């Protein structure tokens, strides 16, 4: 990774931490090696980040396999996985050789206005129906 790419990742992670309810992130390669991780308020231990990485990569592999068995191309391509409980939300996205996991407080996310009630930029007063 070049130094410009590292700076770009740092800036993106700083912006990500500003979102309401943000709790933690983990960046790993697709062999499960944790490259970066951080958690708000307390430090996430490395072994916990590795544990997440192992489980997440297994979930991604199984999800991709099942989607390919269930649907035809191009509808079977998994871009991200979103898991939600009453307390937490985990968003997993794979791109190239890397996987990003973001964990957030789902209660804080609910407090932000749902997208279905936001106005369409540049449009009339139409609402997105969801």
């Amino acid at each position: 990774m070049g130094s410009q790419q590292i700076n770009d990742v740092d800036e993106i992670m700083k912006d990500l931490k500003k979102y309401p309810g943000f709790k933690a992130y983990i960046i790993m390669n697709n062999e499960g090696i944790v490259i970066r991780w951080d958690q708000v308020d307390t430090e996430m231990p490395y072994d916990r980040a590795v544990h997440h990485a192992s489980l997440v990569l297994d979930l991604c592999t199984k999800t991709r396999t099942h989607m390919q068995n269930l649907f035809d191309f191009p509808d079977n391509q998994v871009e991200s996985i979103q898991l939600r409980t009453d307390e937490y939300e985990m968003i997993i996205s794979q791109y190239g050789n890397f996987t990003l996991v973001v964990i957030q407080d789902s209660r804080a996310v609910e407090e932000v206005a749902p997208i279905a009630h936001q106005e369409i930029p540049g449009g009339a007063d139409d609402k997105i129906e969801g």
Side-chain angles (χ1 to χ4, degrees):
M1 233 187 232
S3 73
Q4 181 60 36
Q5 289 174 325
I6 291 172
N7 291 337
D8 290 345
V9 171
D10 287 338
E11 288 301 315
I12 291 169
M13 292 300 107
K14 283 181 189 175
D15 289 343
L16 192 60
K17 290 178 184 181
K18 295 176 186 175
Y19 279 87
F22 175 86
K23 291 288 184 193
Y25 77 88
I26 304 167
I27 299 174
M28 66 195 90
N29 68 16
N30 288 339
E31 282 120 34
I33 298 172
V34 175
I35 299 167
R36 288 179 179 219
W37 71 99
D38 196 8
Q39 182 171 327
V40 176
D41 300 329
T42 62
E43 187 174 326
M44 178 187 295
Y46 177 73
D47 59 339
R48 184 169 178 183
V50 170
H51 186 83
H52 275 291
S54 171
L55 296 173
V56 162
L57 288 178
D58 187 45
L59 175 65
C60 288
T61 300
K62 288 178 180 179
T63 301
R64 190 176 307 107
T65 299
H66 288 296
M67 293 299 289
Q68 289 172 349
N69 289 335
L70 292 172
F71 302 105
D72 295 327
F73 184 82
D75 297 327
N76 64 3
Q77 301 301 300
V78 177
E79 293 180 12
S80 64
I81 300 171
Q82 181 178 1
L83 304 169
R84 187 180 181 117
T85 68
D86 288 338
E87 202 170 321
Y88 294 103
E89 181 176 43
M90 179 182 285
I91 302 168
I92 306 162
S93 182
Q94 291 186 305
Y95 184 78
N97 295 324
F98 299 96
T99 300
L100 170 66
V101 178
V102 174
I103 301 169
Q104 56 189 13
D105 182 340
S106 62
R107 296 167 297 194
V109 174
E110 289 173 356
E111 293 172 7
V112 177
I115 194 165
H117 299 290
Q118 295 178 1
E119 290 187 26
I120 299 172
D125 290 336
D126 297 336
K127 306 279 185 201
I128 299 173
E129 298 296 324

